[in-house]
Amino acid sequence: MNIPENLLYTEDHEWVRLENDMAYIGITDFAQSELGDIVYVEIETLGEKLKNHEVFGTVEAVKTVSDLFLPLAGEILEINPKLEASPELVNSDPYGEGWMIKIKVENLFDAEGLLRSESYASLIGLS
């Protein structure tokens, strides 16, 4: 199970990569493995300002549909354009080509409440 040390994590199995006041967000390797083959990613919140823990979209796998929760309050600036034609990128490269959204973070101090890689590993039973 891949849990990069340079990312932050949520208990809802999203990851966050901070770049100054911007953040890239996706679902973790653990989440995609639990969901199975992802067939569709629906995100219709482009341009919206959402609060922490609000639903920003859904991910559909063969057997289930799961909500995607925003780990940090902010404005949705970009949706990964590759996911429309290739949602399976979330399975094959969840931390790279399978990222989901880019946001402008409202308050960087909120990131202090996110999990580090070691804590996330404990959450999913790897340590």
Side-chain angles (χ1 to χ4, degrees):
M1 191 68 49
N2 187 11
I3 305 173
E5 291 182 12
N6 65 320
L7 302 177
L8 299 170
Y9 300 89
T10 72
E11 292 181 3
D12 295 316
H13 309 290
E14 281 92 15
W15 59 262
V16 177
R17 184 177 73 230
L18 287 172
E19 295 182 1
N20 300 315
D21 65 343
M22 303 294 172
Y24 287 87
I25 297 166
I27 64 169
T28 65
D29 191 24
F30 174 81
Q32 70 78 23
S33 69
E34 291 291 304
L35 288 167
D37 292 338
I38 293 172
V39 295
Y40 188 66
V41 178
E42 181 175 24
I43 302 170
E44 297 180 350
T45 50
L46 184 64
E48 293 183 25
K49 287 187 177 181
L50 300 176
K51 294 182 177 136
N52 194 8
H53 301 297
E54 281 194 277
V55 174
F56 71 84
T58 58
V59 62
E60 183 178 336
V62 174
K63 296 180 182 176
T64 189
V65 175
S66 295
D67 287 336
L68 299 166
F69 298 98
L70 197 64
L72 298 167
E75 180 181 356
I76 313 293
L77 298 178
E78 188 177 345
I79 298 169
N80 185 345
K82 294 179 182 177
L83 296 183
E84 189 171 338
S86 302
E88 68 277 3
L89 288 171
V90 175
N91 291 116
S92 63
D93 191 11
Y95 302 116
E97 294 292 310
W99 65 272
M100 295 183 170
I101 60 171
K102 178 182 176 181
I103 69 167
K104 179 168 179 30
V105 178
E106 190 173 291
N107 185 347
L108 287 172
F109 290 111
D110 290 344
E112 293 176 12
L114 297 175
L115 303 172
R116 305 295 182 258
S117 59
E118 306 81 26
S119 298
Y120 184 71
S122 293
L123 175 76
I124 61 172
L126 291 182
S127 61

